[in-house]
Amino acid sequence: MQKILFVALSVLSLSAWADESKIHLKDGPGKDIVATKCAICHSTDMIQINSPFLDHKGWEALVAKMVNVMGAPITPEETPVVVDYLTKNYGK
């Protein structure tokens, strides 16, 4: 009985993980860059999760970390567009 319960819970948790949905990003300049380049590495849900905590300087630091440490493929020209988009639409 315990084995069946374990298998059932494992299957349910995997299906919940596989069904992770992305948020619908707000329209605005920079949305396409964020939708394509940020979502390469993580769900766009991470934007909404971080939004209560980050102002312009916070988004600027986070985007810099994603580019410089994590290797996000955001060009220097795209960086201010991404930061402005995130600040305007998801900043505190």
Side-chain angles (χ1 to χ4, degrees):
M1 179 68 171
Q2 288 179 333
K3 186 176 181 179
I4 292 172
L5 182 59
F6 175 76
V7 170
L9 289 174
S10 297
V11 169
L12 287 174
S13 65
L14 285 175
S15 65
W17 178 71
D19 191 29
E20 180 180 332
S21 61
K22 294 181 182 180
I23 64 165
H24 296 285
L25 294 173
K26 297 176 184 176
D27 288 330
K31 175 186 174 184
D32 292 340
I33 299 168
V34 170
T36 57
K37 297 204 175 176
C38 298
I40 288 172
C41 296
H42 59 76
S43 165
T44 54
D45 290 347
M46 294 303 293
I47 295 167
Q48 193 171 30
I49 290 167
N50 285 297
S51 67
F53 311 107
L54 300 174
D55 57 7
H56 183 80
K57 288 186 182 214
W59 281 117
E60 195 171 52
L62 186 60
V63 171
K65 175 185 170 187
M66 293 297 139
V67 171
N68 298 321
V69 177
M70 307 305 284
I74 300 170
T75 68
E77 295 79 23
E78 293 170 327
T79 299
V81 176
V82 169
V83 171
D84 288 345
Y85 171 80
L86 293 170
T87 300
K88 180 179 178 184
N89 293 290
Y90 298 99
K92 69 173 192 169

